[in-house]
Amino acid sequence: MSALIVTLVGLVLLLAGSLSVRLAVLAAGFGVSWMLAEAMGADTATALLVSVAGAVLAFLLTLVAARLLFFVCGLCVGALVGARLFVLVQGGTADVLLALIVVPAVALLCAFLARRLQRRFLVWGTAVAGAALVLSGVGRLWTDAGELWKPESGGAVVLMLVLWVVLAVIGSQVQKRTTARPADR
């Protein structure tokens, strides 16, 4: 059940993340919390509880830091992308030290990019993060698609990365079309 919810949240982030910064922050906060809870072996109820708490925390952070909204949005989206990268490179063992390095590093990089690029980052960042959630959710939904959650071979990692890029490009194109002003169309 939680994988289905994560897939749906990922689709919202993938296809509509740039429509609302607050929506993007809620979805990214939910996604990063779920992904890390799952990677650390939490049961379904705990993962959902942690995910909702992460979404609320991310949302409250944006309210407090409204002047730094793009930075905070980039931080949340980057944390989601960093969590996905952590799942890919961890090699089957939940190495907390690796998570403490990879996730914040990618989150800060994305936060600075979001602050600098603003709207352009929001489209691409939410598409990349949404694609990560969709693939992770689908990988957890069916045992046959488990390679999308935690690929074990080099070929599976490459396939997952290709799918991630393709889905992110599709999501960014959908967002660009839906957010374009009439003069831009």
Side-chain angles (χ1 to χ4, degrees), residues 25-118:
V25 167
L26 277 170
F30 181 93
V32 70
S33 301
W34 176 83
M35 197 163 305
L36 289 175
E38 285 284 322
M40 299 294 177
D43 60 43
T44 301
T46 303
L48 283 174
L49 182 63
V50 167
S51 300
V52 170
V56 169
L57 180 63
F59 183 74
L60 291 175
L61 186 59
T62 61
L63 293 178
V64 171
R67 294 190 67 191
L68 302 172
L69 191 58
F70 279 101
F71 183 85
V72 173
C73 183
L75 193 67
C76 293
V77 167
L80 173 55
V81 172
R84 183 63 190 147
L85 291 173
F86 164 72
V87 169
L88 290 178
V89 300
Q90 73 169 324
T93 61
D95 187 356
V96 176
L97 182 60
L98 183 62
L100 289 174
I101 293 169
V102 171
V103 176
V106 174
L108 284 172
L109 173 67
C110 288
F112 286 113
L113 287 172
R115 180 84 170 125
R116 177 100 174 127
L117 302 173
Q118 294 186 350

